[in-house]
Amino acid sequence: MDNPKFNLVPKSSRLISILLVAASCVTSSETLGFDGSMMNGLNILPSYTDFFHLNTTTLALNTASVWLGGCIAGFFYGLVTDAIGRKNSLLLAAIITILGVILQTASQNVAMFVVSRIIIGFGTAGSGSAGPTYLAETLPFEWRAWGLGVFYDFWYVGGLIASGVTYGTAKMDSTWAWRIPSALQGLFSVVCILLLPFIPESPRWLVHKGRHEEALEVVALTYADGDQQNPVVLAQYKQIIDTLKYEVENGETLGLMQTVKTPSSRKRLLLAISVAIITMLSGNNIISYYLGTMLDNAGITDTTTQLEINIILNAWCLTIALIGTYLVDKMGRKLVAVCSTIFLIIFLFMFGGLTAAYGTSTNTAGIYGTVAALFLFQGSYSFGWTPLTVLYPPEVLNFPIRANGMAIYNFFTNAVGLLVTFAFPYALATIEWKIYMINGAWDVLELAFVLYFWVETKGKTLEEIDELFDGVKHSDVPDLEAILNGKVDVSDLIVESVEVTDKAQAKVGVKGAKDDAE
């Protein structure tokens, strides 16, 4: 008898649940994207720079302070996420972000503006820790790349909206030219709060808390439209039970020390941190926050033209990022990262060379070539590193260190972001195009790290990824991809019993799973 292939093409309620889960989390990246593009626009507007009497130092401080708030959140928000749950952590972070947005909109001086952006940074970093953790643990594995990839693809949705808003308010003579964009930044957090009542909690967190029936319901909803007897649902559920039980029995806790307790944990954390550093130090953040200065150096000084380029650039990057997200499950995480890095190195060197050659000239062709290199660089970055930003870290981090690991990841993201956004205005003012050459040389080292250290994770559940780091999978259930492809006979797969006790101590049995792949 042929092995059955389980058709998990989304039915209506399953698809709606998956979309709502993803939509509730991407709001934090939309807020960050809006913030980056908004600050790009504000740094170009005289109504903003004149109101605060900005010089190089205060320009950098106003822009970079959002990362300081993120660093603060990185110290402990993982503990919050483990303690109160993924959903409640998203709610708390959204509320904090809204409070910061209100304060920024009402700012009367540099100090008030800086404090407001620290609060916004704290809130968005909290969402950036809880959101990817929640998505990785809740989405079916075949949707995980899309959900986590789209998480930062929507950075450009926020950026596109902000670039349009700042373009529209640029001609206002009052402070509302920058206050209106500041106020609209809170819109995405409001959307998040409105969506949270309609989405489930992470099934892995529920199992950890002993809420097994609820966890099974969530797995069934996201994998099989609520069918709790579906063999794939039972297989994924048992993988979760077995793996969390193994971790508890082997003394793995949810504390910060667990992130560096074992060689496996240290390697996982190193890979997660590598993404934080690469995504912030590849050169893209110069463009994200100081596009106006870069265009000035390239010979394009008209404010309206710069704002128009900002809009087009965000639309271009969103398109390329979605293509990369589509391919990340086909090509694999490592190959996408390698291809993205190779091309961004080439185009960053090209941009630096063209800026050096034509930045002070009136050569129209040279200036257009410089802008083209800028677009190609951002497209190269967007293809790989935008979807990988929060896709790879929660995949390589296992449950005991996932929330705290993502908080540490966000600490490094914000710390490097703080360094870049504060230091680069000085670099652009003093050494100009040479900073792009220095950055390009650093990107070569990033490429070498990915080639040597990265582990491929495509096509595996979070529990199956453990085998890549620990050498063994902590469940005897066949791989879900093999089940879906009909390579394993699971017609007799049943969960015999589930005894709900403390912290994943469940008795679950599986009968009749036979590997027919050979």
Side-chain angles (χ1 to χ4, degrees), residues 103-185:
L103 190 62
Q104 179 176 314
T105 305
S107 290
Q108 299 299 314
N109 50 52
V110 169
M112 189 173 178
F113 195 86
V114 168
V115 169
S116 71
R117 290 185 56 71
I118 291 173
I119 296 172
I120 291 171
F122 186 99
T124 54
S127 298
S129 296
T133 300
Y134 173 69
L135 283 177
E137 292 180 354
T138 307
L139 292 175
F141 82 95
E142 76 273 26
W143 281 82
R144 195 174 66 235
W146 266 109
L148 287 166
V150 165
F151 187 100
Y152 258 96
D153 291 353
F154 270 66
W155 195 100
Y156 295 115
V157 173
L160 188 59
I161 295 171
S163 60
V165 170
T166 52
Y167 182 78
T169 62
K171 292 182 174 58
M172 290 183 175
D173 293 328
S174 68
T175 60
W176 286 107
W178 60 267
R179 293 189 194 276
I180 289 175
S182 296
L184 291 176
Q185 191 174 9

Side-chain angles (χ1 to χ4, degrees), residues 22-41:
S24 65
C25 294
V26 300
T27 52
S28 64
S29 66
E30 288 174 313
T31 302
L32 275 176
F34 191 99
D35 181 81
S37 186
M38 177 193 70
M39 291 307 299
N40 244 331

Side-chain angles (χ1 to χ4, degrees), residues 230-286:
N230 185 291
V232 176
V233 171
L234 298 179
Q236 173 65 103
Y237 179 58
K238 185 176 188 295
Q239 278 191 0
I240 297 171
I241 293 286
D242 287 350
T243 303
L244 266 65
K245 180 181 178 183
Y246 168 86
E247 291 164 352
V248 169
E249 291 177 345
N250 282 270
E252 297 190 32
T253 66
L254 303 187
L256 278 169
M257 288 303 299
Q258 186 64 45
T259 60
V260 294
K261 187 176 180 180
T262 66
S264 172
S265 294
R266 291 193 290 272
K267 181 175 182 179
R268 293 172 188 267
L269 187 62
L270 175 64
L271 292 178
I273 291 173
S274 75
V275 180
I277 294 173
I278 292 172
T279 54
M280 299 307 295
L281 263 185
S282 293
N284 58 300
N285 272 302
I286 317 174

Side-chain angles (χ1 to χ4, degrees), residues 95-107:
I95 292 172
I96 292 171
T97 302
I98 291 172
L99 292 176
V101 166
I102 293 171
L103 190 62
Q104 179 176 314
T105 305
S107 290

